[in-house]
Amino acid sequence: MGTTIPIAVGYALALKRQGTGRVVAAFFGDGATEEGVFHESLNFAALHRLPVLFVCENNFLAIHTPIEKRWATRRLCERVRTYGIAAHQVPDSDVLAIRQLAADAIAAMRSGVSGPIFIECHTYRWREHVGPAEDYDAGYRSRDELLQWQVKDPLKRIRAKLDAAQVSMIEAEVEKEIAEAIDFAEGSPFPEPKELYTDVFAE
Ligand SMILES: Cc1ncc(C[n+]2csc(CCOP(=O)(O)OP(=O)(O)O)c2C)c(N)n1
């Protein structure tokens, strides 16, 4: 948890030294912002004006622990700003707003006008922490909460902006991609045991 954050910062340092004009985006949850490395990384990235877009997907849950049992205040963007990093909050899963913020942030970092930038996107986890089942009877949240977020479902909202032909074209493409992935998985041999070590150790 939180491991993407320092890796992104280190990579951004390398990119900046190489003068590539490239930027790095790091995605992580609200739980990850409780790790010390989050704060160390923000400070380092701000100090060296590194081109990192930090994106916190705040679903108000870390496994089964809701945010009110973990955060003394919800002022995450305010905390981030104390490091000298511009921070924006998108509270309603508006994907077009997120796209615009990200595009502006990336352009500002590429041109050197800005150091790192932070976006906090509020969202919701419909299913359990890991796996496809529902867990509304587990006692840590209510189904009412889900219903409030389903109204803001970004997929439904973006779908409503498309015409029927576009929707069926996208659906057909997605169905095809899924079918091909299943065929590929079912048609592939089992990996050799030695592949357990692939990408685990550097030679
Ligand atoms: C350093 C560390 N501590 C604890 C865990 C166990 N753990 C796995 S996921 C998780 C919560 C993650 O919450 P969040 O960052 O909000 O991400 P989400 O799963 O909601 O996307 C925890 C505590 C871990 N993987 N790493």
Side-chain angles (χ1 to χ4, degrees), residues 67-136:
I67 207 159
E68 54 273 16
K69 293 195 174 159
R70 299 184 285 118
W71 288 11
T73 79
R74 293 204 184 184
R75 302 200 294 271
L76 175 62
C77 283
E78 210 174 304
R79 291 197 272 285
V80 170
R81 287 185 197 114
T82 65
Y83 290 103
I85 296 177
H88 310 273
Q89 189 189 69
V90 183
D92 57 358
S93 293
D94 180 344
V95 289
L96 294 180
I98 295 168
R99 184 182 186 282
Q100 190 61 54
L101 274 174
D104 292 347
I106 288 165
M109 289 191 285
R110 280 220 167 106
S111 63
V113 171
S114 175
I117 296 178
F118 181 91
I119 304 177
E120 177 190 9
C121 303
H122 287 182
T123 182
Y124 196 68
R125 188 181 82 211
W126 291 23
R127 305 263 162 173
E128 59 192 333
H129 174 60
V130 176
E134 291 199 339
D135 64 354
Y136 291 93

